[in-house]
Amino acid sequence: MLGHDEDGSTLHLETAAERLAMSPQTLRRHLKREGNTFQGIKDGWRRDTAITLLAETPIPIAEIARRVGFSESSTFHRAFKHWTGLQPSAYRTLKP
């Protein structure tokens, strides 16, 4: 669902549960049984999408931050460094 929305970062638990024809509580319970959380899956999507965009496109970092759901570039920079250990610009320079 995250990859199919125009901006998957805006998908909310309630919307996902509705699309899966279950209550939000049931979705949380299923995810917990699998060792996941909705926010964890969403953060993974943000990370993977940002990495792909940095490695494969010349899109400016501020635009990538917006596309993955960050309203402030500085927040995206902190999150990206937490995910990868590198700033987005440093990660981009490492691509083959």
Side-chain angles (χ1 to χ4, degrees):
M1 277 184 238
L2 290 167
H4 289 82
D5 282 358
E6 179 180 315
D7 180 5
S9 66
T10 62
L11 182 67
H12 298 283
L13 175 75
E14 293 76 15
T15 305
E18 183 179 314
R19 289 181 186 176
L20 294 168
M22 63 179 68
S23 71
Q25 296 82 2
T26 301
L27 178 54
R28 275 191 204 97
R29 200 169 37 253
H30 285 295
L31 291 172
K32 185 176 182 178
R33 255 188 248 135
E34 294 177 3
N36 288 314
T37 65
F38 185 77
Q39 190 61 49
I41 291 169
K42 193 170 172 178
D43 286 344
W45 175 85
R46 286 174 153 178
R47 180 197 62 237
D48 294 348
T49 301
I51 286 171
T52 298
L53 291 172
L54 284 167
E56 298 177 4
T57 72
I59 297 171
I61 292 171
E63 175 61 17
I64 292 172
R66 188 199 63 75
R67 286 189 186 191
V68 298
F70 289 89
S71 58
E72 298 289 329
S73 287
S74 60
T75 308
F76 170 67
H77 281 263
R78 281 192 300 278
F80 194 85
K81 185 162 185 175
H82 174 76
W83 296 330
T84 66
L86 297 168
Q87 290 294 330
S89 57
Y91 187 89
R92 181 171 262 171
T93 62
L94 291 178
K95 73 178 184 178

